[in-house]
Amino acid sequence: MKQFLKKYAVLFLIAGTIVVLDQVTKSMVKTNLGIGQIWSPWDWLTPYARIVHIFNTGVAFGLFQGQNAIFSLLAIIVSIAIIYYYPRVTANDWILRVALGLQLGGALGNLVDRITQGYVTDFISVGDFAIFNIADASITVGVAVLLLGIWLQERRKKTAELSKVAETQNPGTDDKSGAGE
């Protein structure tokens, strides 16, 4: 059990934090606003950012409404895949570990809603963008972090290859032994 917790500590810490934050904020919205009701602390801010209580039986941008069961199953599959794959990520690849934690937390946060309510509560509304929640934002940020990690890894790999090529073409330039003197 200790080994299991050690392997998964970061994943479950990140995902658990996201789920709790997501569920607490959704509960606050459901308690204080009726469906479709808007809250904004200042009138001038309302066109740019506001809290709007809506529900969503589809996915991002309100696509595929009424497919709650399919997206519940998909969230379960994705969560299992993340939990399965996570221990295979090297300990020093913290970018991938954080990305997976964010994605798992987001998937589980919305899965809780889908199972308990039959829909997802959304409430963050910015400009004319789709209304979303903490779980949605976590998934999106997780994907962005994952892409950043892949890009950085590719960049490091190319830099290492270029260094190897330069070393092969100019042997002895890093020779600090003094043998050539």
Side-chain angles (χ1 to χ4, degrees):
M1 183 65 166
K2 208 178 222 185
Q3 185 71 5
F4 176 82
L5 288 175
K6 188 176 179 180
K7 263 187 206 177
Y8 287 98
V10 172
L11 178 70
F12 290 150
L13 180 67
I14 293 170
T17 300
I18 296 299
V19 171
V20 168
L21 187 60
D22 179 63
Q23 291 300 305
V24 166
T25 55
K26 288 173 179 175
S27 178
M28 290 171 59
V29 168
K30 291 184 287 190
T31 300
N32 294 297
L33 295 176
I35 297 289
Q37 192 174 2
I38 299 172
W39 177 80
S40 178
W42 305 286
D43 289 338
W44 62 267
L45 183 62
T46 303
Y48 310 106
R50 63 219 150 264
I51 303 296
V52 181
H53 182 189
I54 66 165
F55 65 89
N56 183 0
T57 59
V59 290
F61 306 105
L63 298 172
F64 309 112
Q65 289 296 311
Q67 303 300 315
N68 193 55
I70 292 170
F71 296 119
S72 294
L73 181 61
L74 186 60
I76 291 168
I77 292 168
V78 166
S79 297
I80 290 169
I82 289 171
I83 292 168
Y84 174 79
Y85 178 69
Y86 187 82
R88 288 152 182 75
V89 176
T90 60
N92 62 347
D93 194 352
W94 63 270
I95 291 177
L96 181 54
R97 288 177 169 259
V98 168
L100 292 173
L102 290 168
Q103 292 169 7
L104 179 62
L108 293 175
N110 282 339
L111 180 62
V112 169
D113 278 16
R114 290 184 189 285
I115 290 171
T116 61
Q117 303 174 153
Y119 59 86
V120 173
T121 299
D122 287 334
F123 61 91
I124 302 169
S125 180
V126 180
D128 292 332
F129 193 71
I131 301 170
F132 58 99
N133 58 46
I134 301 294
D136 297 336
S138 179
I139 292 168
T140 302
V141 171
V143 169
V145 169
L146 178 65
L147 293 174
L148 174 66
I150 291 169
W151 179 76
L152 288 172
Q153 192 174 45
E154 288 298 315
R155 191 170 159 199
R156 281 191 296 264
K157 195 183 293 182
K158 283 182 183 178
T159 301
E161 287 172 7
L162 288 174
S163 294
K164 222 179 230 185
V165 168
E167 188 177 299
T168 308
Q169 291 175 351
N170 302 318
T173 56
D174 286 352
D175 186 11
K176 295 185 177 29
S177 65
E181 295 176 21

